[in-house]
Amino acid sequence: MRGRSDQIVVRGDGSDAGGVDPQQLWLSSDRPRKGRKPAFSRAAITAAAVALADAEGIDAVTMRRVASEVGAGVMSLYSYAPDKETLLQLMVDHVSGELSPPDPLTGDWRADLKAIAHAQRGLMLRHPWLPTALFNRRWSLGPNTLAFLEHALAALRPTALDGGAKLEVFSLITGFAARLVADEIAQAALSASPERAAAEARYLAAVAADGHHPELAEALSAPARPLTPDATFARLLDRMVDGLDAGS
């Protein structure tokens, strides 16, 4: 929602969406508010939090820091987002707006599912804090996230999957993209330290040669595949999506 409805009022019926009921968070209707016009909007505060996370990482996002970024008092920020969990919910849905409008569906559900995964990877690479934000939390789906979910469910319409299975596939694809991007970011950090990368390679070579790990030794001796992040993501995505049973 926009304008005056961007402000959140904390009630006693909080839920998994931080300290705010999901209907209140996402479906609050436009209505006039008494008192002074709010100095800030929820959208502006969310955008400031996203910019901070993009620049410095998710740990930098605190209510005090975001308040400072927008020139607000910390206590006034709580009227827009009562806790950091709610702010993270808003941030995730805010960046999910970049996924819309998605590429038109082709009718080839496997190709469409792969396009969805690549779009998610691109989003997560633009916002490297996003995989971390998605892990270990139960999310309330905001309007942008719901729009992309609707697109993914439509992509799966040609399959014989029931509704629950379609939701599971979407969760699987999202989790896959988040895990691969998190690994990609970690590997990029490792490659910035050649000494550490060389030490890891020496360690694996020693383990493979100790005679106690023959399967690992055989796996490491196999011809190398392209190891660029793009190639790795595409190869593993093909393996996963092409192996899905559309009739289960």
Side-chain angles (χ1 to χ4, degrees):
M1 301 297 171
R2 301 293 183 218
R4 292 178 175 181
S5 64
D6 280 346
Q7 197 166 34
I8 301 171
V9 179
V10 183
R11 303 182 188 274
D13 55 352
S15 72
D16 292 321
V20 177
D21 182 280
Q23 287 187 308
Q24 188 180 351
L25 181 61
W26 304 119
L27 300 179
S28 54
S29 60
D30 291 324
R31 56 182 182 272
R33 299 177 63 254
K34 296 180 180 179
R36 294 182 303 173
K37 182 179 179 179
F40 308 98
S41 71
R42 189 177 76 180
I45 289 169
T46 303
V50 167
L52 182 59
D54 287 347
E56 300 183 30
I58 198 169
D59 290 340
V61 179
T62 65
M63 301 299 280
R64 183 175 300 278
R65 182 70 187 279
V66 174
S68 175
E69 291 292 318
V70 298
V74 177
M75 295 309 296
S76 67
L77 203 66
Y78 288 111
S79 11
Y80 298 90
D83 51 42
K84 184 175 178 178
E85 285 302 304
T86 302
L87 184 57
L88 288 173
Q89 299 272 357
L90 295 170
M91 292 167 62
V92 169
D93 194 67
H94 178 86
V95 299
S96 294
E98 297 175 22
L99 295 170
S100 184
D103 292 335
L105 297 175
T106 67
D108 179 342
W109 69 267
R110 285 187 168 87
D112 289 335
L113 205 57
K114 292 173 186 178
I116 285 167
H118 280 287
Q120 290 179 313
R121 175 177 178 250
L123 178 70
M124 293 175 193
L125 288 174
R126 291 192 298 274
H127 304 285
W129 53 270
L130 188 52
T132 300
L134 291 174
F135 292 142
N136 301 321
R137 288 181 176 88
R138 183 175 180 180
W139 289 101
S140 171
L141 303 177
N144 291 324
T145 312
L146 281 172
F148 194 67
L149 171 60
E150 183 71 15
H151 176 73
L153 294 177
L156 291 167
R157 178 169 286 281
T159 72
L161 297 172
D162 62 24
K166 290 176 183 176
L167 291 171
E168 288 174 346
V169 169
F170 180 74
S171 179
L172 178 67
I173 291 296
T174 302
F176 167 84
R179 174 53 63 191
L180 265 289
V181 171
D183 289 345
E184 184 176 338
I185 293 169
Q187 287 300 318
L190 183 63
S191 66
S193 174
E195 297 82 3
R196 174 68 186 277
E200 291 284 349
R202 288 194 300 271
Y203 166 70
L204 282 177
V207 169
D210 65 9
H212 299 297
H213 303 88
E215 300 297 335
L216 176 62
E218 182 178 350
L220 292 177
S221 67
R225 293 185 173 89
L227 293 180
T228 65
D230 290 350
T232 299
F233 186 89
R235 182 173 61 252
L236 295 180
L237 180 62
D238 285 348
R239 188 172 299 160
M240 181 177 68
V241 172
D242 292 346
L244 287 174
D245 182 0
S248 298

